[in-house]
Amino acid sequence: MGKIVVTGYGIKAPKISNVQQFLYNLENGINCLETVTNLSPHGEETIVGKINENLQEFESDSRYKRFPKVTLMGMAAGKEAINQAALTNLKDKKVGVFFGTSLGSIGEKDFQKSILNVHQSNYRDIPITFSHFANYHSITSAIAYYLGSKGIAKTITTGCTSSLEAIQDAIAYLNCGIIDIAIVGGTDSLIDKMATYGFAKTKSIALNQSLHEGAVPFSQDSMGLAVSEAAGVIILEREEHALKRSSTILGEIENVISNNDGVYLYSIDETGEQMVNALKEVIKGRKPDYVNSQAMGVNVNDRIEKHCSKELFNHSVPYTSIKSMIGNPYGAIGILQVISALLSIQHGFIPPTIRTNKKGYEEMNIVTETWFQEINEVAVTNHGHGGNNACAYIRRYK
């Protein structure tokens, strides 16, 4: 099998309208999170990462005014990636569109109102769009339509690992020769009371914590994560196809490995052995320049990263988490970690884990200030609600 290379990427995230802004924020350790009090049970402070603008291009187009926000975000990120990859006339090419999402469109008001209307027997008030809001694959189909693709379209939903596993599926299709180009992304948007109440019950969300304390990766004092919304897209091609197009190659996705913890639905594997197994398989005995980690401020998850660091690297490899800046946008986070890794390879830096005091994680090699140095290889770790683990290995293209 030949190399699978990246020829474009795009992003929409909190206080990030494009890849250049993402690069600036990563290099400078910009906090894109904020606190609100209108989402929690008793007015407690909740830390979130919201997209408040940068989707204006769709507001004046009647075709898209009833599209859910999660779809519009994916469309915008996909457009940026397509433009960077200089792709045109997708209908004439063997293209696959692969998108990951964890929660789909269930945060849309029309979706939630529809459920209430059913229970109140107000059937006429259920909008015609409801079936598409309830169908996760409608997100991918709408994005494929907008980008001009009529080929393969797949939706992957495995929790927060969804977009990394979308890459895994896309690589399989590329290696088999079924497609020549893969548009791979992740998008999620659910910042509302339903998400806050639900995840607060599992003690996953930081309630009544300031930005100084809460949603801080690698900090024993952090009592949960920050819910955020985002979309990211990368363009994948086989090396020979990209060279034939005279494309600028931005990096190589060497492999993605995934597995499941295999535990009871309402429990969690605190040993981290399956994450160790996935990371061990993807690194193949090598030491990456750093690990772009899934740590998010939930101690049970962050301790698994600590276990991996000790077990596989004896804490010699630097670790960082971009979730300290942008929060956890569910199924979109994996693809954002990959784009972050590609940018750090291209521009020579390790993004910092901001806001952490490393309490409880002192023995780890955690990057808390931007390190500017040559970066050639990055490992990415990710864990999803439901027990899936996914790890990727990103390399400089040579």
Side-chain angles (χ1 to χ4, degrees), residues 198-213:
F199 282 101
K201 282 184 174 289
T202 66
K203 302 187 185 301
S204 298
I205 286 182
L207 292 179
N208 257 356
Q209 283 199 301
S210 68
L211 281 170
H212 178 69
E213 299 173 297

Side-chain angles (χ1 to χ4, degrees), residues 200-250:
K201 282 184 174 289
T202 66
K203 302 187 185 301
S204 298
I205 286 182
L207 292 179
N208 257 356
Q209 283 199 301
S210 68
L211 281 170
H212 178 69
E213 299 173 297
V216 181
F218 303 122
S219 171
Q220 189 174 298
D221 294 331
S222 176
M223 296 175 64
L225 59 86
V227 170
S228 66
E229 53 189 357
V233 176
I234 63 174
I235 308 300
L236 296 181
E237 304 179 54
R238 292 187 303 278
E239 178 187 30
E240 63 271 22
H241 187 269
L243 293 175
K244 187 176 180 180
R245 289 202 310 117
S246 299
S247 301
T248 299
I249 294 177
L250 305 169

Side-chain angles (χ1 to χ4, degrees), residues 124-352:
R124 290 185 178 275
D125 292 332
I126 299 172
I128 196 171
T129 55
F130 174 77
S131 61
H132 288 289
F133 288 168
N135 176 29
Y136 287 31
H137 189 58
S138 291
I139 297 170
T140 306
S141 296
I143 293 168
Y145 161 77
Y146 175 74
L147 298 177
S149 173
K150 289 193 173 184
I152 290 167
K154 301 286 183 182
T155 303
I156 295 87
T157 178
T158 57
C160 293
T161 59
S162 296
S163 54
L164 266 192
E165 298 195 59
I167 296 174
Q168 187 179 38
D169 284 14
I171 288 173
Y173 275 80
L174 287 164
N175 280 330
C176 290
I178 297 174
I179 58 175
D180 294 325
I181 299 165
I183 301 168
V184 192
T187 185
D188 254 316
S189 173
L190 182 60
I191 302 178
D192 66 359
K193 288 185 177 181
M194 179 174 64
T196 304
Y197 283 37
F199 282 101
K201 282 184 174 289
T202 66
K203 302 187 185 301
S204 298
I205 286 182
L207 292 179
N208 257 356
Q209 283 199 301
S210 68
L211 281 170
H212 178 69
E213 299 173 297
V216 181
F218 303 122
S219 171
Q220 189 174 298
D221 294 331
S222 176
M223 296 175 64
L225 59 86
V227 170
S228 66
E229 53 189 357
V233 176
I234 63 174
I235 308 300
L236 296 181
E237 304 179 54
R238 292 187 303 278
E239 178 187 30
E240 63 271 22
H241 187 269
L243 293 175
K244 187 176 180 180
R245 289 202 310 117
S246 299
S247 301
T248 299
I249 294 177
L250 305 169
E252 175 190 353
I253 311 293
E254 184 185 277
N255 203 3
V256 177
I257 299 294
S258 66
N259 61 32
N260 188 271
D261 290 335
V263 296
Y264 179 66
L265 177 62
Y266 302 119
S267 62
I268 185 169
D269 177 19
E270 297 187 17
T271 70
E273 287 306 314
Q274 284 298 84
M275 178 67 86
V276 169
N277 291 338
L279 185 55
K280 184 177 182 179
E281 186 174 352
V282 86
I283 64 174
K284 299 178 180 177
R286 297 165 295 187
K287 283 190 175 182
D289 292 307
Y290 75 96
V291 174
N292 196 306
S293 159
Q294 63 98 27
M296 66 188 86
V298 178
N299 271 284
V300 65
N301 293 83
D302 294 8
R303 283 195 298 267
I304 289 173
E305 296 296 285
K306 181 180 175 180
H307 177 53
C308 290
S309 174
K310 173 62 177 176
E311 185 79 10
L312 298 176
F313 309 120
N314 198 26
H315 296 316
S316 62
V317 170
Y319 266 67
T320 195
S321 174
I322 65 172
K323 293 182 183 179
S324 61
M325 292 181 257
I326 62 170
N328 183 38
Y330 305 109
I333 186 59
I335 203 94
L336 268 61
Q337 289 175 259
V338 168
I339 296 172
S340 169
L342 290 164
L343 288 171
S344 70
I345 289 171
Q346 186 179 359
H347 296 275
F349 72 100
I350 302 177

